[in-house]
Amino acid sequence: MSKLTRMNVSRRTMLRGLGVSLALPWLEATNKATAMAADAASTPNRMAFIFVPNGVHLPNWTPSTEGYGYQLPSILEPLAPVQDNLMVLSGLTHDKGRANGDGAGDHARSASVFLTGAQPRKTDGENIRSGISVDQVAAREIGHHSKFSSLELGVDQGRNTGNCDSGYSCAYSHNISWSSEATPVGKEVNPRLVFERLFAGGKQSEVQKSAGERLELKKSILDYITEDARQLQPKLARNDSRKLDEYFTGVREIERRIEISSKPSAVEADIDYPVPAGIPKDYKEHLRLMCDMMVLAFQTDSTRISTMMFARAGDNKSYRTVGVNEGHHELSHHRSDPEKLEKISRINRFHVEQLSYMLQRMDSIQEGDRTLLDNSMICYGSAISDGNRHNNENLPILLAGSGGGTIDSGRHVRYDTETPLCNLFMSMLDRMNVDVPYVGDSSGQLPRLTLG
Amino acid sequence: MIRTHRIELPLDFSLVWGRIVQYTLRSTALLWLAGCCVSTAIAQIEDVPLSKLVADLSDNKSEVRRDAAYEIVRRGEYTDDVVLGFAKTVSDRDIQVRFQSLLGLARAREKAAPAIDALIGVLGDRDDQVRYRAADALGKIGPAAIDPLLASFEESSRDSFRIAAAQAFGVMKSDAKPALDILRKTLENASGDLARNCAEALVAIEPAAVKHLIGMSRHEEGDVRRIAVRALANTGAVSDEIESVFRKAAGDSDSGVREATALAVSASNLSVREKSTLIETALLDDVNAVRAAAIAALRRAKLPGGKLARRIADRIEDAGDQNANSILKALSAIGSDAIGTLPQVIRSAGRPSIDKKLVSVTIASFGESVVPDLLDRLDADSSLSNIVADALAEIGFPAVDSLVGCLDSESEEVRLSAVVALSRITPYSETQMSAFELAASDGSAKVRRATMNALASSTSMTNTLTEKLLAATKESNGKVRAAAVLAVSSLDLPSDELKELIESGGADPNKHVRVATAGLIGLLDNEANKYQSELLRLANDKKIAVRVAALETIGMLDAKKVGDDVVSELASRLADSNNQVRVIATKCIVDLKLSDPVVLESLEGNLVDHEELLSVTLEALSLLGKKASSSATTVANLLEHDKASLRSIAVKTLSAIQPDEEILVGHLIDVLNDQEWEVRRVAAESLGNMGKKAVDAVPKLFLLLKSEEDSDHASGALREIDTASVEALPLLIEGLGSEDRRTAFYSVFLIEKLGPSAVDALPKLEQLLVGEDGQETSGFMTRFYKQAIASIKGEKREDDDD
């Protein structure tokens, strides 16, 4: 059992039990302890990248005015509660997503270029070549500060072999995170496994025993840390005590939702591939749980870097919950058909709603004078601008959070065309204290994120 | 020669090649071997000496030049040879080589000086990205590039060139001071992008040139004035002249300049009085972006806010609607310093156009010390209850005690607002739970109902609350009973008690309670299936809302445990008098993936002219597959429907239910003429799924290869069909050697499938195999011509032994 110091509690303090280790959220007491340590900022910056496929319907995405106070277009309306903490960045380009002589395969290129800024080699064989993605650049430099150097999330099972798009390997369509030019980093799609990874502690045998016992006896992870929590509570000020209660309640709620959403259903019997236990059948709930996992990982400082694919490149799932029966990819070839454009907008808005859900959660978690969202940079977007034209300039990109007060959020900024998206990544890395000469095809830092 | 084992293919043929490999290299051993070769080659490029890579930059083959350029940039070793090599390839005909070269030269920074002339040469390129990259590389080379760049700038009259050159000077920052004069001179008469880029470059080179910035603030181009105002604020300089510039800019005709002026407040060293005046002016601006900039500046500037808050709060009453909202946001940005403006803020809520949520948020921003004053005002005026409740909920936990106190109020509205506010502050504390115990016995039905709604989202429950909740399920007011029934989902009730409650709820005379009962069953997860009989009764209810609620719950049941009686009931509901009920019932069938023929007759009855019903019905029929063959004729008629999305679904459904493959192929061939691309695509996909049985569609699909829109799905279908009939032979022979590459490929691909019966194609194939010089050709198609000829002659294929 861990020994807890009086009054000032280290951010690294874990509440432990059999096979379980629960990191603490930001507390005033942990902040005092961290502030006394000279090696790290008391509230670290976090960075995440979220990929959506097939571009968006730009007329319903791009605000008509620049600067502050822009009217949210219909797709972005769900972001109204966090508009002050959001930047719409127009005009950015991923030149390496263009064919550049390689012909068809825009979807595969769009995913592989999204965080690498590198032209993928056109191949469906083993000789894949992309670039190192920005999240992995950061993970290499600062990953040691947290339990996990980075967390890669998604909802579709990935494939790294075969031809998924006009001669491009599936590795390109299914991954956005690359640890080397030839190595995509597999993503986790099972919220239960992420949950277990976040809170596993102790010997492997204990971890397995605890996980099995919890499933079997329907016990909560919180049941295992009761003793440590009991010891900690009297040491905390009232605000911290309440914050810890909120945190426990939040963890328990997520745990319950994972249980509910992963119950075997009728649908399971009819799908011809094995669905691992823990993967929700409902896409929206699946996305939200993965968002919750990211928030939880950031909140507990289990990682400071994360990526998420809302769907793989060229994804063709339908969105019946928003009344769209056709496949997303099919619709993206809209040829300006108003009906299709309206449906694409609905899909785009659905994705943005899930982003808004996540951002609002982050905004509700207080870390001193700021919120978790204030201390984060969440880059959301697609490396294709319009699904019909498959163009890679004027990309739909959002940047949420204010990077620990280093970004003047709440604005729409339009950049000159051909400004590399990788310049945004350089600016984000800078705010993570990662000093690298370039990322992908960056040419420097992205200006105008601050007003000074 | 070290290089990857790429096979030279015409563009867009990679996918075809992938398939061809599958068809022709049937031996997995050979595939494995090919994979090994590729891996070995890839591994080797890292060991290639730099000098060899530089030499490869001049290779005739673009793949070789590409691999070399990528590898050099990856290594980041910028020797003189590399720079000279890249200086040549910045104009390479291969775009990837060109970009990698520009990228490499930018990263070489000052070492790239020998490439200056080459870079200036592409600064006027037609390609935006090339200009951008060349400017970046020149800027990073620094001082060595200034003189030649200046000379070219003076000589050139092309705006695109001068814009890129100005960008390069901007990248050089203070190193580019020799360019100041020419940039200033150019700016004087420039407009549009050229003016803006010159202004940006000037600010980047000399950010504190106050005198020149003041001059720029009078430029005709709004963008230039905007840049000047921003830069001037950043200098931190203060003088009467500068104040005058800001005052003038605050009234500029260009809203971008006014916005920049408002933002400048946070960066400049102007006096508090001057800043306050600028903020006030901006808040009353017509343009939202200007007002929002003022609010953002206020947040950043952290001005002593009390005085300013009073000044702007006094303007609310006379301000326009949008301006009034902006003033509220500004007060919210000032926060606790603005607490003295509570009366004006509350009064503003009386204006119909004011965002009430904003009023609550503004009040909450004053902090918890506003609570006593707020409650006094509520006591005096109960009509404020909603605003006050919202504000207290925004304040959150610090307001809980005050809200609990409100439950003693004589005003029903106040008590109701308190319960609603308490329900929004989550997770519930013990104090809140005690408050809900009290409110559950309130004399007002509205308050009791709100309490039950609050309990529905509770994650824990006290014994007293459990008792009160159960009692509420039997109380006299129907709406309270309904809310209580739904809230029961948060309890862990013994199954016999739950059963009793569901039975009584389902038989309740109040329709709200019956709807809630159906909803409650849906919230029981795995337990829900136990209450199928209750759901069946509710699905037969006389009220539409109840039937809909029951069917929605049925759709959530575990399909494996759904009984025959449920299926029968769903079949009955498919014939319900109300269309909405029929749609929901059909969705149930789809959700539960029911393929019982019992529902077939009713489904057929719903193939009517109601789009939503038609759409879900077609989906449900697809699930039935061939069992729904009796509907095939009706569905086939829908291939002519006005709406393209319905025609698409009809194609899919017909493909699933039509048992006669010949008839189906006939229909699908007709659909290949549909005016809508998506419908044709679905038809082609369906034909592909039929494989060889769709052979009759080959001629039509073959013709579609030439269509830009249809080529992709037509070729996909031809690959899957993988055969052709002799009747198609003349068409295929005509396609041999076509300029359209897909037509050329598929003609030979399909002729090979025909074997000896394609003998008529032999002369043309042999002719194509031999070039004008009488020698055998060596192009991409050669191998396929040979294979087709061998197939016609009945010879063994080259790779059959592998």
Side-chain angles (χ1 to χ4, degrees):
Chain A
M1 197 159 292
S2 60
K3 289 188 175 175
L4 304 166
T5 55
R6 201 156 182 77
M7 295 303 287
N8 296 340
V9 182
S10 161
R11 185 76 197 260
R12 297 281 165 241
T13 300
M14 296 283 178
L15 304 180
R16 295 183 199 282
L18 178 76
V20 168
S21 172
L22 198 70
L24 294 179
W26 188 98
L27 300 171
E28 282 168 24
T30 59
N31 190 42
K32 280 182 198 163
T34 317
M36 287 195 290
D39 64 335
S42 55
T43 46
N45 254 337
R46 286 77 153 198
M47 177 168 83
F49 302 88
I50 298 174
F51 171 88
V52 283
N54 304 329
V56 302
H57 182 44
L58 276 182
N60 290 345
W61 167 284
T62 312
S64 56
T65 59
E66 289 183 62
Y68 283 104
Y70 57 88
Q71 180 82 34
L72 283 166
S74 61
I75 292 173
L76 301 184
E77 269 171 9
L79 292 164
V82 289
Q83 186 177 357
D84 284 345
N85 229 331
L86 178 81
M87 289 190 86
V88 182
L89 306 178
S90 296
L92 297 174
T93 294
H94 248 334
D95 174 59
K96 305 301 178 195
R98 291 167 172 153
N100 290 330
D102 280 344
D106 301 297
H107 288 291
R109 274 197 300 268
S110 77
S112 79
V113 77
F114 186 53
L115 300 185
T116 64
Q119 188 97 29
R121 185 200 299 270
K122 189 162 193 177
T123 176
D124 59 0
E126 292 177 13
N127 56 336
I128 51 174
R129 178 190 67 202
S130 182
I132 303 172
S133 55
V134 54
D135 59 306
Q136 292 305 304
V137 170
R140 278 185 191 181
E141 300 290 321
I142 58 163
H144 60 280
H145 286 307
S146 49
K147 183 174 179 182
F148 306 111
S149 58
S150 62
L151 188 62
E152 292 74 36
L153 304 171
V155 291
D156 298 320
Q157 293 282 9
R159 273 175 66 193
N160 286 341
T161 55
N163 175 351
C164 276
D165 186 7
S166 306
Y168 280 98
S169 165
C170 296
Y172 296 130
S173 314
H174 289 249
N175 299 288
I176 53 172
S177 187
W178 291 71
S179 62
S180 81
E181 290 174 326
T183 320
V185 184
K187 57 191 182 296
E188 184 51 74
V189 300
N190 186 333
R192 181 186 290 283
L193 292 185
V194 183
F195 189 85
E196 295 295 339
R197 269 177 73 193
L198 283 177
F199 298 124
K203 294 177 190 164
Q204 191 55 29
S205 57
E206 289 179 351
V207 171
Q208 284 171 356
K209 187 178 175 197
S210 156
E213 202 174 277
R214 274 183 281 125
L215 266 178
E216 190 73 22
L217 305 176
K218 293 192 172 177
K219 287 173 83 172
S220 163
I221 207 155
L222 301 178
D223 297 335
Y224 290 76
I225 48 97
T226 318
E227 181 55 27
D228 268 14
R230 197 183 57 76
Q231 280 193 41
L232 177 63
Q233 285 282 12
K235 299 171 195 298
L236 301 176
R238 193 176 165 206
N239 274 351
D240 274 354
S241 186
R242 179 183 289 152
K243 197 177 278 293
L244 199 63
D245 270 347
E246 287 173 41
Y247 170 60
F248 287 156
T249 307
V251 169
R252 180 59 193 140
E253 273 180 15
I254 291 173
E255 199 178 19
R256 276 193 62 195
R257 280 173 48 218
I258 293 174
E259 281 167 25
I260 292 166
S261 66
S262 59
K263 280 178 186 168
S265 75
V267 180
E268 202 170 349
D270 291 321
I271 48 181
D272 58 2
Y273 55 87
V275 177
I279 296 187
K281 314 299 178 299
D282 177 73
Y283 176 55
K284 178 175 164 185
E285 176 64 359
H286 194 176
L287 276 178
R288 291 197 166 194
L289 275 171
M290 296 317 273
C291 289
D292 288 333
M293 291 300 124
M294 191 190 283
V295 175
L296 209 48
F298 283 164
Q299 185 185 9
T300 55
D301 201 24
S302 298
T303 190
R304 295 175 186 181
I305 301 151
S306 186
T307 60
M308 171 132 62
M309 291 183 85
F310 271 16
R312 66 176 176 79
D315 184 74
N316 200 35
K317 69 167 67 69
S318 56
Y319 289 72
R320 285 185 51 190
T321 50
V322 290
V324 179
N325 293 328
E326 297 89 335
H328 186 187
H329 178 233
E330 285 170 30
L331 281 172
S332 73
H333 290 275
H334 50 76
R335 298 186 310 141
S336 302
D337 177 337
E339 191 185 344
K340 289 183 177 180
L341 290 171
E342 193 273 324
K343 286 180 176 173
I344 289 168
S345 296
R346 260 190 266 167
I347 294 173
N348 298 155
R349 188 180 160 112
F350 168 83
H351 285 144
V352 165
E353 276 168 8
Q354 313 323 312
L355 171 72
S356 177
Y357 165 81
M358 186 177 101
L359 298 181
Q360 288 183 62
R361 283 193 72 101
M362 293 178 76
D363 207 24
S364 71
I365 296 169
Q366 208 66 33
E367 294 189 331
D369 290 341
R370 298 204 185 103
T371 67
L372 176 59
L373 182 58
D374 291 330
N375 291 325
S376 301
M377 292 172 285
I378 313 293
C379 173
Y380 172 98
S382 179
I384 284 181
S385 181
D386 176 283
N388 196 39
R389 289 174 55 210
H390 283 193
N391 53 329
N392 307 92
E393 62 278 354
N394 193 19
L395 296 173
I397 298 293
L398 304 175
L399 180 66
S402 56
T406 62
I407 294 170
D408 291 316
S409 255
R411 294 176 296 140
H412 170 216
V413 180
R414 189 184 295 280
Y415 292 94
D416 284 341
T417 183
E418 302 302 323
T419 305
L421 175 59
C422 283
N423 287 6
L424 168 64
F425 301 159
M426 286 293 285
S427 295
M428 292 172 73
L429 287 176
D430 184 45
R431 286 161 173 80
M432 297 294 287
N433 292 320
V434 175
D435 184 17
V436 288
Y438 54 82
V439 176
D441 66 351
S442 68
S443 61
Q445 302 260 338
L446 191 69
R448 297 162 64 193
L449 291 182
T450 54
L451 295 169
Chain B
M1 174 94 89
I2 305 300
R3 65 180 66 137
T4 56
H5 281 216
R6 286 202 196 174
I7 294 152
E8 200 169 348
L9 298 179
L11 293 181
D12 301 330
F13 257 104
S14 303
L15 180 62
V16 178
W17 174 251
R19 296 291 177 171
I20 293 162
V21 167
Q22 286 173 19
Y23 290 125
T24 54
L25 303 183
R26 293 193 177 116
S27 157
T28 49
L30 201 71
L31 277 169
W32 176 82
L33 194 59
C36 287
C37 290
V38 167
S39 303
T40 310
I42 293 303
Q44 285 171 342
I45 197 161
E46 292 167 6
D47 305 326
V48 177
L50 191 62
S51 56
K52 175 74 180 103
L53 292 173
V54 173
D56 280 355
L57 288 176
S58 307
D59 198 284
N60 286 333
K61 293 193 170 147
S62 61
E63 305 92 80
V64 178
R65 298 198 304 282
R66 273 187 192 183
D67 280 343
Y70 277 110
E71 180 59 14
I72 293 171
V73 173
R74 191 188 71 77
R75 290 187 194 182
E77 293 172 37
Y78 298 108
T79 63
D80 287 349
D81 287 345
V82 166
V83 169
L84 290 172
F86 277 163
K88 288 180 191 156
T89 49
V90 291
S91 330
D92 196 285
R93 63 181 180 279
D94 183 283
I95 199 161
Q96 289 195 33
V97 177
R98 218 151 71 220
F99 287 164
Q100 280 310 102
S101 308
L102 289 165
L103 208 56
L105 290 173
R107 287 176 188 171
R109 306 190 80 91
E110 61 272 17
K111 285 185 192 168
I116 287 172
D117 289 343
L119 287 168
I120 291 175
V122 292
L123 213 51
D125 197 282
R126 278 188 306 176
D127 190 311
D128 291 345
Q129 182 71 205
V130 171
R131 289 202 305 276
Y132 175 87
R133 294 286 165 187
D136 184 48
L138 281 163
K140 283 172 178 162
I141 288 171
I146 290 176
D147 287 343
L149 197 53
L150 272 175
S152 305
F153 191 97
E154 284 182 84
E155 279 170 23
S156 176
S157 57
R158 284 169 56 199
D159 275 4
S160 61
F161 180 93
R162 293 197 293 171
I163 287 170
Q167 286 169 351
F169 288 131
V171 174
M172 291 179 200
K173 298 199 168 138
S174 60
D175 283 343
K177 279 189 178 160
L180 283 171
D181 284 346
I182 184 81
L183 285 170
R184 282 180 187 137
K185 200 172 155 199
T186 309
L187 177 61
E188 275 175 22
N189 301 312
S191 60
D193 283 347
L194 180 59
R196 183 170 56 79
N197 278 281
C198 285
E200 279 175 350
L202 285 166
V203 170
I205 296 166
E206 205 173 43
V210 172
K211 191 181 116 199
H212 291 290
L213 291 174
I214 290 173
M216 275 166 61
S217 74
R218 298 183 191 114
H219 197 277
E220 281 190 4
E221 195 70 39
D223 270 350
V224 177
R225 298 198 299 277
R226 178 178 55 77
I227 291 165
V229 166
R230 288 286 311 282
L232 207 48
N234 288 338
T235 64
V238 185
S239 68
D240 288 349
E241 193 178 11
I242 291 173
E243 284 188 0
S244 155
V245 166
F246 280 120
R247 276 198 291 270
K248 193 173 169 207
D252 197 286
S253 59
D254 186 314
S255 66
V257 180
R258 300 200 301 278
E259 185 187 347
T261 311
L263 288 170
V265 167
S266 60
S268 74
N269 285 329
L270 295 172
S271 65
V272 171
R273 184 188 170 81
E274 195 67 35
K275 285 181 176 181
S276 298
T277 306
L278 291 175
I279 293 274
E280 204 176 329
T281 308
L283 285 173
L284 297 172
D285 199 285
D286 288 343
V287 176
N288 188 34
V290 180
R291 299 195 302 271
I295 294 160
L298 204 49
R299 284 201 187 103
R300 286 163 54 88
K302 300 198 189 324
L303 295 176
K307 208 169 170 183
L308 174 62
R310 280 193 297 280
R311 270 171 64 181
I312 58 177
D314 285 342
R315 309 290 292 263
I316 296 183
E317 214 160 325
D318 298 329
D321 293 339
Q322 294 303 319
N323 298 98
N325 279 320
S326 293
I327 290 173
L328 286 176
K329 284 181 188 166
L331 292 172
S332 177
I334 293 170
S336 57
D337 275 0
I339 194 166
T341 65
L342 182 66
Q344 290 99 316
V345 174
I346 286 185
R347 258 203 315 277
S348 76
R351 284 174 64 160
S353 56
I354 288 289
D355 180 349
K356 303 295 181 290
K357 171 83 178 162
L358 182 58
V359 174
S360 309
V361 169
T362 305
I363 295 170
S365 74
F366 300 158
E368 55 184 291
S369 49
V370 79
V371 173
D373 193 2
L374 203 53
L375 291 174
D376 284 347
R377 285 172 191 278
L378 181 60
D379 259 351
D381 181 359
S382 64
S383 70
L384 298 174
S385 58
N386 284 340
I387 297 283
V388 172
D390 285 349
L392 291 169
E394 284 289 335
I395 292 170
F397 287 105
V400 165
D401 290 343
S402 306
L403 284 167
V404 173
C406 289
L407 294 178
D408 292 330
S409 168
E410 287 182 5
S411 158
E412 181 192 42
E413 286 301 318
V414 171
R415 298 197 307 279
L416 178 61
S417 303
V419 170
V420 171
L422 283 168
S423 71
R424 290 190 204 151
I425 302 171
T426 55
Y428 299 153
S429 62
E430 282 180 20
T431 312
Q432 282 165 278
M433 295 303 271
S434 304
F436 291 140
E437 284 176 12
L438 188 67
S441 306
D442 196 283
S444 155
K446 283 183 186 170
V447 175
R448 296 199 302 280
R449 187 181 174 198
T451 309
M452 294 305 128
N453 286 339
L455 295 180
S457 52
S458 175
T459 50
S460 60
M461 200 71 84
T462 63
N463 288 338
T464 311
L465 268 178
T466 303
E467 283 169 19
K468 295 204 170 190
L469 171 54
L470 289 174
T473 62
K474 296 185 176 70
E475 80 140 80
S476 57
N477 184 290
K479 287 185 177 174
V480 179
R481 283 204 308 283
V485 165
L486 260 183
V488 163
S489 63
S490 61
L491 297 179
D492 199 8
L493 273 192
S495 54
D496 54 336
E497 285 182 39
L498 186 62
K499 186 167 182 287
E500 191 184 329
L501 191 135
I502 286 173
E503 282 171 1
S504 65
D508 198 285
N510 185 296
K511 74 170 179 181
H512 297 296
V513 181
R514 300 200 298 280
V515 167
T517 305
L520 171 65
I521 297 172
L523 293 169
L524 297 176
D525 300 323
N526 279 352
E527 297 287 300
N529 277 70
K530 289 183 187 170
Y531 299 101
Q532 288 184 27
S533 54
E534 195 56 50
L535 285 171
L536 289 178
R537 263 196 299 281
L538 292 169
N540 244 320
D541 199 279
K542 60 187 175 194
K543 293 287 183 188
I544 291 169
V546 181
R547 299 207 293 279
V548 166
L551 288 169
E552 281 176 342
T553 300
I554 288 174
M556 293 156 62
L557 295 177
D558 182 344
K560 283 182 279 191
K561 295 178 186 166
V562 164
D564 291 344
D565 46 354
V566 172
V567 179
S568 304
E569 181 57 32
L570 284 174
S572 309
R573 286 309 107 216
L574 290 174
D576 196 281
S577 57
N578 180 279
N579 272 343
Q580 192 195 356
V581 175
R582 283 195 276 173
V583 167
I584 304 288
T586 315
K587 282 182 177 171
C588 272
I589 287 166
V590 174
D591 288 340
L592 295 171
K593 296 198 180 299
L594 295 181
S595 57
D596 195 312
V598 173
V599 297
L600 178 60
E601 196 179 327
S602 307
L603 282 173
E604 284 176 337
N606 283 341
L607 290 171
V608 291
D609 201 15
H610 180 286
E611 280 178 17
E612 192 182 6
L613 188 55
L614 204 46
S615 171
V616 290
T617 302
L618 285 170
E619 212 175 327
L621 284 171
S622 292
L623 290 173
L624 289 166
K626 302 288 185 281
K627 286 182 232 170
S629 58
S630 55
S631 305
T633 309
T634 317
V635 174
N637 290 335
L638 291 171
L639 298 175
E640 306 283 328
H641 197 278
D642 290 345
K643 206 149 176 119
S645 57
L646 274 169
R647 296 202 299 278
S648 272
I649 303 172
V651 171
K652 289 177 188 166
T653 305
L654 189 64
S655 303
I657 67 174
Q658 173 56 263
D660 188 320
E661 281 151 351
E662 200 177 343
I663 293 175
L664 175 60
V665 171
H667 282 305
L668 293 176
I669 292 172
D670 288 344
V671 177
L672 290 176
N673 292 318
D674 194 283
Q675 58 185 5
E676 181 59 37
W677 172 85
E678 174 59 15
V679 183
R680 298 197 300 275
R681 192 196 66 77
V682 174
E685 194 175 274
S686 297
L687 285 164
N689 291 341
M690 294 181 76
K692 291 186 166 50
K693 291 168 189 162
V695 66
D696 288 351
V698 167
K700 177 68 187 166
L701 288 166
F702 186 76
L703 290 172
L704 287 179
L705 287 173
K706 284 186 183 167
S707 153
E708 195 183 331
E709 284 190 334
D710 296 300
S711 184
D712 278 352
H713 50 251
S715 64
L718 286 171
R719 273 199 303 277
E720 300 301 328
I721 294 170
D722 199 27
T723 190
S725 61
V726 182
E727 286 72 31
L729 187 59
L731 199 58
L732 299 177
I733 292 173
E734 198 184 320
L736 283 171
S738 166
E739 282 185 6
D740 178 73
R741 286 174 297 186
R742 273 191 165 146
T743 302
F745 174 76
Y746 278 100
S747 54
V748 68
F749 171 79
L750 293 169
I751 284 170
E752 187 201 341
K753 303 289 169 193
L754 284 169
S757 57
V759 65
D760 290 352
L762 206 50
K764 193 162 179 186
L765 279 169
E766 286 174 339
Q767 186 190 338
L768 286 165
L769 192 58
V770 178
E772 287 175 3
D773 55 359
Q775 300 294 309
E776 188 178 293
T777 56
S778 60
F780 167 72
M781 294 295 292
T782 304
R783 151 182 212 159
F784 303 104
Y785 293 144
K786 283 183 177 177
Q787 283 171 2
I789 291 167
S791 169
I792 293 168
K793 290 180 176 173
E795 292 168 2
K796 202 175 176 186
R797 287 172 61 127
E798 278 177 15
D799 54 347
D800 278 355
D801 288 338
D802 296 325

